[in-house]
Amino acid sequence: MPEPHFAYGVAVAPGSAPVTAVPATAIPATAVPAGDGADWYGPERWGGWEGPVPPPRPPHWHRPPEWDEPPARPARRLLRWIIGIAAITGLALLVAAAGLAAIVGSRNPAPRASATAQANAAAPVPPGGILGESAEASTEASPTPTRALSTQEIVATVNKSVVNITSTLGLRNTRVAGTGVVVGNGGLVITNNHVIAGATAISGVAVANGRTFQASVVGYDRSHDIALIQLAGASNLPRLGVADSSQVKAGDPIVAVGNAGGQGGTPEAVTGSVTALNRSINAQDPDGGGSRRLDGLIEVAADIKAGDSGGPLVDRAGRLIGINTAASIDPRDQSPAGQGFAVPSNTALGIAGRIQSGKASSTIHIGPTALLGVAASDAGGRTQGAEVTGVVSGSPADRAGLENGDVLRSVDGQEIASAADLTSAIDLHHPGDEVRIAWVDRSGRTRSATVRLATGPAG
């Protein structure tokens, strides 16, 4: 039976056969130093590796409004008055001409737009839709096709806005490949959080020009599996047009594009249709970590593959309606099983817009990731909390005296009932923050310490 997976994990969709998340494709990383086998993330500086992922650029400032311009000089007022009179006279003549044209038009009505042209009308861009360096860019509408586009035309257009992403997971001695979509000026790219989670370095190849760029994480939202990254030094990359995903309905034809198999080069595309809306799945990390629920997804019938994670799901006009996040995988041979899931474009770009604006929340993290320096699993038996299963040597946790088998109970007064709670609590902080942690050691004694959080891998 097909098994649904979350894009870089394992997911189960209620009421269907198990589905396997679309894993970001693993790539051998011979240049990455081997770790000690512990299944946790840690800062890449420890162990003599390269420095941390560079911090993101601050949000762009809008251009000043027109009324901030200096007033006109008095010497020009007479000239402007004369021009104004001429403009009014011209406007009157134009209105008269328009009236005459309306009369003629009423006698010879123009033919109505075709059903195809009406269906391809550009939908309103959602709040935070297309990200740009000015207020004008954030409300830019997608081009309106005058006819139905072929799959080849859609793919040729969409590919120009695709980025093939490679994340180096330093402590895991591997790399993973996924996909991103250019959505803003200056190389802003949206992708899945799981594509960059645990990365100690990120690079992206813009399909539009074949150039490779180093990338930094602007921010992410684990709960919706969305991340916004910045390609350093990128400019003039084509942005993908956006549709209003609230108008998507079952039966709509779609095209999914991505870095299938992590092979790089020209992205691959598959066609299909929307089969359901507002779907929920429980996604589990591929390394056996905790699961995470994703809600409100678009379900499609399409052979989305490993490596497509973070890629664009588009309508038949080539406009973005979702970010590919999960797909069904046949457990017998790990081949695509014809079922996929995508985060709707309204949701994904709304989150990206808040990230770019620097608006952190209980789920949205802005900037570099803070690190305590432990691996943890849900505690069982004697006490509730996050049980330590690994400690990074020299990390804040190590200096505080945490050891394997200890159970973390609170961070800055926030109760920790699970490993996921610990992740969420640390996500509210940034490198350099001081936090008070409390735990129960292996002997059953309650202990506490104040630690200064370090800089850890992304996402």
Side-chain angles (χ1 to χ4, degrees):
M1 293 291 291
E3 181 180 287
H5 280 219
F6 170 60
Y8 192 24
V10 178
V12 176
S16 70
V19 273
T20 306
V22 184
T25 304
I27 303 173
T30 55
V32 181
D36 58 7
D39 188 18
W40 32 250
Y41 300 158
E44 69 259 54
R45 279 198 184 279
W46 296 330
W49 302 335
E50 296 179 357
V53 176
R57 295 193 323 186
H60 302 297
W61 291 98
H62 295 323
R63 290 195 295 268
E66 292 181 359
W67 47 261
D68 279 345
E69 294 178 358
R73 295 178 181 176
R76 298 180 180 176
R77 290 178 181 171
L78 178 59
L79 177 59
R80 291 191 176 184
W81 180 80
I82 295 172
I83 293 174
I85 292 297
I88 292 172
T89 303
L91 178 61
L93 293 174
L94 180 61
V95 170
L100 179 60
I103 294 173
V104 174
S106 65
R107 294 176 180 173
N108 300 284
R112 297 182 60 186
S114 67
T116 299
Q118 292 176 2
N120 286 335
V125 176
I130 300 177
L131 307 178
E133 297 189 17
S134 66
E136 292 86 346
S138 66
T139 57
E140 180 181 334
S142 305
T144 304
T146 57
R147 60 180 176 78
L149 302 179
S150 68
T151 299
Q152 291 75 17
E153 289 173 318
I154 291 172
V155 172
T157 299
V158 172
N159 277 354
K160 297 175 183 177
S161 300
V162 170
V163 175
N164 294 327
I165 298 174
T166 300
S167 296
T168 300
L169 312 184
L171 288 184
R172 297 187 181 187
N173 194 37
T174 190
R175 294 187 178 96
V176 296
T179 313
V181 184
V182 178
V183 292
N185 294 338
L188 283 172
V189 173
I190 194 170
T191 186
N192 287 138
N193 179 70
H194 73 261
V195 171
I196 55 91
T200 53
I202 304 170
S203 64
V205 178
V207 175
N209 56 23
R211 290 183 57 193
T212 300
F213 301 91
Q214 296 306 305
S216 59
V217 177
V218 182
Y220 54 85
D221 183 339
R222 296 179 195 270
S223 66
H224 291 93
D225 195 31
I226 291 296
L228 186 67
I229 66 175
Q230 174 82 59
L231 303 182
S235 62
N236 299 320
L237 296 179
R239 293 176 294 177
L240 187 59
V242 181
D244 181 356
S245 60
S246 69
Q247 301 302 308
V248 174
K249 56 186 182 299
D252 286 352
I254 57 89
V255 178
V257 177
N259 183 12
Q263 299 301 309
T266 303
E268 294 185 12
V270 293
T271 59
S273 62
V274 175
T275 53
L277 303 172
N278 201 31
R279 296 286 276 136
S280 296
I281 60 175
N282 292 314
Q284 185 175 0
D285 291 335
D287 59 4
S291 63
R292 187 172 298 279
R293 181 183 175 91
L294 293 180
D295 298 311
L297 304 180
I298 298 172
E299 181 182 332
V300 299
D303 280 338
I304 296 175
K305 301 177 182 178
D308 286 343
S309 302
L313 182 74
V314 301
D315 62 14
R316 293 304 299 190
R319 300 170 304 176
L320 186 71
I321 60 171
I323 299 297
N324 300 324
T325 298
S328 58
I329 302 295
D330 190 326
R332 294 169 299 184
D333 58 6
Q334 298 301 301
S335 62
Q339 183 185 38
F341 300 90
V343 178
S345 58
N346 287 17
T347 299
L349 293 172
I351 292 169
R354 289 191 287 274
I355 290 173
Q356 190 200 20
S357 299
K359 297 178 180 178
S361 69
S362 60
T363 61
I364 294 176
H365 180 88
I366 307 296
T369 304
L371 182 96
L372 177 60
V374 298
S377 62
D378 294 350
R382 56 193 176 92
T383 185
Q384 190 178 43
E387 182 173 353
V388 176
T389 58
V391 180
V392 178
S393 177
S395 69
D398 185 33
R399 292 192 292 269
L402 280 162
E403 298 178 338
N404 287 358
D406 293 348
V407 177
L408 281 155
R409 298 286 292 120
S410 69
V411 174
D412 260 5
Q414 178 180 340
E415 182 178 350
I416 304 299
S418 64
D421 284 352
L422 177 60
T423 298
S424 298
I426 298 300
D427 267 353
L428 296 175
H429 297 278
H430 293 84
D433 287 355
E434 289 190 349
V435 298
R436 189 75 177 171
I437 59 174
W439 71 95
V440 176
D441 67 19
R442 290 175 294 181
S443 66
R445 184 177 58 173
T446 299
R447 300 180 60 185
S448 63
T450 298
V451 299
R452 184 183 299 275
L453 299 174
T455 299

